[in-house]
Amino acid sequence: MHSHPLKRNKKRQYRLSKRSIKDEYIDKQIWLLHRAMTNKIIKQPQLTQQVIAKLADFREQGRIGYSDYLHWLCLLENVNDSQAFNDGVLENSNKMKRLRRQTPFVGILTEQERQAALTAEAIGIIDHPDILFL
């Protein structure tokens, strides 16, 4: 008896992802911005107070759960250990990808710093997004 071609092969060593190329691109941009923000926060640790205030706002507005709130606070406690802070915020896990999408690091970068972070590793500039779908 043949198995249906769309049925899941349990012997497969990889996991199919429901994430699109667009999701991966957005996550990469968010990661680049967070790398710039963590570097700035490490150089200016007083910025953690701004982040903690934003976290408190998120909690009051119901925009962040208690577990995620505590996770961000724990990360911020490591600001004096730059390696641990960077590793924690920039971790390549599904949880951190999700957390970075609703970041409390709002307002850390100026617009110029934000643009520089996004273009620093760019291979080139895309004039129009339609080129991505040729």
Side-chain angles (χ1 to χ4, degrees):
M1 183 175 248
H2 296 289
S3 66
H4 190 276
L6 297 179
K7 284 192 177 182
R8 188 174 172 185
N9 181 352
K10 293 186 185 210
K11 293 181 182 179
R12 188 178 305 150
Q13 295 299 313
Y14 60 91
R15 192 173 129 205
L16 293 175
S17 175
K18 293 183 180 180
R19 298 175 58 76
S20 69
I21 291 172
K22 182 180 174 185
D23 287 326
E24 295 299 325
Y25 178 72
I26 291 168
D27 284 335
K28 177 67 174 175
Q29 284 185 317
I30 292 170
W31 186 90
L32 289 169
L33 291 170
H34 277 79
R35 185 175 64 180
M37 290 184 282
T38 57
N39 289 336
K40 186 171 181 178
I41 292 168
I42 289 166
K43 291 176 187 165
Q44 300 174 40
Q46 68 275 15
L47 291 172
T48 58
Q49 295 309 311
Q50 178 182 331
V51 176
I52 291 169
K54 184 55 69 178
L55 276 171
D57 290 346
F58 283 1
R59 280 288 299 147
E60 288 174 17
Q61 297 166 6
R63 291 180 54 197
I64 189 170
Y66 190 64
S67 172
D68 294 345
Y69 172 78
L70 289 178
H71 192 88
W72 279 114
L73 287 179
C74 289
L75 289 171
L76 290 167
E77 285 183 8
N78 288 314
V79 75
N80 292 324
D81 180 349
S82 60
Q83 189 66 49
F85 183 61
N86 267 321
D87 289 351
V89 174
L90 302 177
E91 179 182 293
N92 188 27
S93 67
N94 288 336
K95 179 176 183 165
M96 279 312 300
K97 285 178 184 178
R98 179 180 57 78
L99 289 177
R100 284 191 298 263
R101 283 189 175 226
Q102 192 169 2
T103 186
F105 290 3
V106 177
I108 295 297
L109 297 178
T110 64
E111 182 58 26
Q112 185 177 4
E113 290 168 331
R114 194 182 79 73
Q115 288 298 322
L118 291 174
T119 59
E121 293 187 26
I123 296 170
I125 303 295
I126 297 173
D127 295 327
H128 197 277
D130 288 345
I131 196 163
L132 295 172
F133 305 102
L134 291 178

